[in-house]
């Protein structure tokens, strides 16, 4: 850490590892982007005249203008990438027995603005591919420009002295040298999905099996789809394989309890991708901001006050008129509460042993 920096209040020895986003810019316009934890302020080797300062995280906290994200697990990522859009959309649209409708579960996919295909990586399913996901991580988490994100985020000419992108592929006569983000993409792509266990410690197979049944009967599996299959892939290890991810890859309204006020693509301020649950038994921190280490608290946080509503419409929209395109304010639409409220009510109605069995099942994944 450079001498001109201090350790932000949310960085602690016991974790979690967090990135910080500001909800709004100083002029009140939407921000939502990642802000660097540290800068080169105070380093003896910083370029002459460079006075870039560390963001004022304490002021952002005082203004209730800061939210956090923790890293998403990367195992099984190649399988997620290989699931077809059709599979995701058909699964989301299916509602056997009308259970989704009766519980108020809808959801929608986030999509790429260029080709309309389903995006699926990140807490709000905002990234289309593992290569984009890798490039973004290099840029906003490590400050390394690359072939996906070529521009410095701070372009003060007194500070931006490196040629960009700082990490890039090498092209020489007769040979190529892939950039780091390509290698990182390959690493994530071929990490296998976790293998569930049938028992652990004093937890019996009977308890886990009962928890699996309750996971479905309470409605958890309506969003946390146990298995989606990949499509045809040019990579044999990913070709028509079952991905036991426990997610529908859609984003859902989670209400005020989890809302972070940030929009990404078509995911609104209280919407999040259904987090894959595979490997959850090996995780320490839960939810998008790592706010708890208690799996039961994480489940309860899926419920929100039905009287608290979040705006879901874009702030403005384009209106076509003969010979003219104008920008008009959009009619605000609202969603109240959480799509998971009914499911959490079902969970809370279970007796203590049944709740424990369901938790045991989750920890077996």
């Amino acid at each position: 850490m450079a001498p001109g920096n201090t350790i932000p209040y949310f960085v602690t020895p016991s974790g979690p590892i967090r990135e910080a986003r500001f909800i709004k810019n100083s002029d009140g316009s939407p921000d939502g982007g990642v802000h660097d934890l540290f800068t080169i302020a105070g380093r003896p080797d910083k370029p002459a005249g460079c006075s870039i300062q560390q963001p004022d995280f304490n002021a952002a906290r005082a203004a209730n203008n800061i939210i956090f994200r923790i890293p998403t697990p990367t195992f099984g990522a190649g399988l997620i990438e290989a699931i077809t859009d059709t599979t995701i959309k058909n699964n989301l649209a299916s509602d056997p027995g009308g259970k989704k409708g009766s519980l108020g579960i809808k959801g929608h996919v986030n999509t790429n603005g260029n080709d309309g295909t389903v995006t699926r990586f990140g807490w709000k399913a905002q990234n289309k591919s593992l290569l984009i996901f890798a490039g973004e991580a290099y840029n906003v988490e490590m400050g390394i420009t690359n072939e996906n994100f070529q521009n410095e985020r701070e372009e003060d000419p007194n500070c931006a002295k490196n040629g960009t992108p700082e990490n890039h592929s090498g092209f020489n006569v007769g040979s190529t040298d892939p950039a780091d983000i390509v290698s990182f993409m390959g690493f994530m792509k071929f990490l296998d999905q976790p293998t569930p266990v049938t028992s652990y410690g004093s937890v019996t197979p009977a308890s886990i099996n009962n928890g699996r049944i309750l996971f479905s009967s309470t409605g958890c599996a309506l969003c946390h789809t146990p298995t989606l299959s990949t499509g045809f892939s040019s990579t044999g290890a990913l070709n028509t394989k079952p991905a036991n991810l426990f997610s529908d890859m859609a984003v859902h309204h989670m209400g005020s309890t989890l809302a972070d006020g940030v929009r990404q693509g078509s995911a609104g301020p209280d919407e999040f991708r259904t987090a894959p649950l595979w490997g959850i038994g090996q995780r320490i921190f839960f939810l998008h901001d790592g706010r708890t280490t208690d799996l039961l608290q994480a489940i309860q946080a899926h419920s929100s006050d039905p009287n608290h509503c979040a705006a879901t419409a874009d702030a403005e929209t384009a209106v076509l008129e003969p010979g003219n395109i104008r920008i008009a304010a959009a009619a605000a639409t609202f969603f109240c509460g959480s799509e998971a409220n009914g499911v959490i009510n079902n969970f809370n109605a279970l007796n203590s042993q049944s709740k424990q069995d369901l938790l045991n099942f989750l920890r077996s994944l």
Side-chain angles (χ1 to χ4, degrees):
M1 183 178 70
N5 292 261
T6 59
I7 297 177
Y9 69 90
F10 51 85
V11 177
T12 63
S14 57
I17 302 300
R18 285 169 163 163
E19 64 178 27
R21 295 173 182 258
F22 293 168
I23 301 170
K24 294 182 179 180
N25 294 304
S26 57
D27 62 2
S29 60
D31 182 349
V34 178
H35 288 257
D36 295 321
L37 299 187
F38 304 105
T39 70
I40 60 175
R43 285 179 58 106
D45 59 347
K46 71 179 179 66
C50 178
S51 59
I52 182 174
Q53 296 300 307
Q54 183 183 29
D56 191 340
F57 297 113
N58 288 324
R61 174 172 58 171
N64 197 29
N65 191 41
I66 188 170
I67 61 98
F68 305 107
R69 302 271 177 87
I70 65 173
T72 57
T74 55
F75 36 67
L79 293 168
I80 291 176
E81 191 172 48
I83 299 169
T84 66
D85 287 13
T86 299
T87 295
I88 293 171
K89 291 177 178 178
N90 285 348
N91 175 67
L92 182 62
S94 67
D95 188 13
K99 291 183 178 179
K100 288 182 182 178
S102 64
L103 289 170
I105 296 172
K106 295 181 180 179
H108 65 90
V109 295
N110 206 344
T111 56
N112 184 304
N114 292 313
D115 62 5
T117 54
V118 175
T119 52
R120 55 197 72 188
F121 296 105
W123 284 103
K124 298 208 174 197
Q126 70 270 18
N127 286 319
K128 170 63 186 176
S129 70
L130 286 174
L131 190 58
I132 294 174
F133 198 38
E136 181 195 44
Y138 264 64
N139 186 33
V140 304
E141 295 179 10
M142 295 189 288
I144 301 173
T145 54
N146 54 79
E147 289 163 329
N148 281 347
F149 295 84
Q150 301 200 15
N151 304 102
E152 293 280 8
R153 300 173 70 215
E154 171 54 68
E155 292 190 322
D156 181 339
N158 291 318
C159 302
K161 299 295 186 179
N162 292 342
T164 59
E166 291 154 318
N167 183 260
H168 56 84
S169 300
F171 296 96
N172 302 300
V173 176
S175 67
T176 59
D177 180 21
D180 285 356
I181 61 171
V182 177
S183 299
F184 185 35
M185 176 271 291
F187 169 73
M188 292 189 290
K189 185 172 185 175
F190 294 110
L191 284 175
D192 199 2
Q193 58 185 321
T195 301
V197 298
T198 56
S199 64
Y200 57 94
S202 61
V203 175
T204 65
S207 174
I208 291 174
N209 289 335
N210 187 48
R212 184 190 307 275
I213 294 170
L214 292 168
F215 184 82
S216 178
S217 64
T218 56
C220 300
L222 295 174
C223 295
H224 290 281
T225 306
T227 302
L228 293 173
S229 296
T230 67
F232 294 117
S233 172
S234 54
T235 302
L238 305 174
N239 183 46
T240 59
K241 303 294 184 182
N244 304 313
L245 71 172
F246 290 86
S247 172
D248 60 6
M249 289 288 101
V251 295
H252 296 265
H253 289 287
M254 301 308 300
S256 58
T257 303
L258 294 179
D260 64 2
V262 171
R263 297 176 183 274
Q264 292 184 279
S266 63
D270 74 328
E271 290 182 303
F272 291 91
R273 181 189 70 162
T274 303
L277 298 181
W278 50 12
I280 195 171
Q282 301 302 312
R283 300 199 67 184
I284 299 175
F285 300 101
F286 303 113
L287 303 173
H288 65 279
D289 51 10
R291 67 179 65 179
T292 182
T293 59
D294 187 323
L295 189 53
L296 181 59
Q297 289 182 13
I299 292 172
Q300 296 294 353
H302 283 57
S303 177
S304 287
D305 189 333
N307 296 312
H308 291 174
C309 305
T312 62
D314 290 335
E316 56 188 24
T317 186
V319 179
L320 298 177
E321 296 177 338
N324 182 41
I325 300 178
R326 64 183 177 87
I327 302 296
T333 58
F334 294 89
F335 186 91
C336 302
S338 166
E339 290 183 40
N341 276 357
V343 175
I344 302 306
N345 288 340
N346 290 342
F347 174 80
N348 288 335
L350 298 175
N351 61 42
S352 297
Q353 184 57 57
S354 293
K355 289 178 182 177
Q356 188 61 56
D357 287 346
L358 203 156
L359 291 171
N360 290 343
F361 164 68
L362 291 174
R363 292 185 177 117
S364 75
L365 297 178

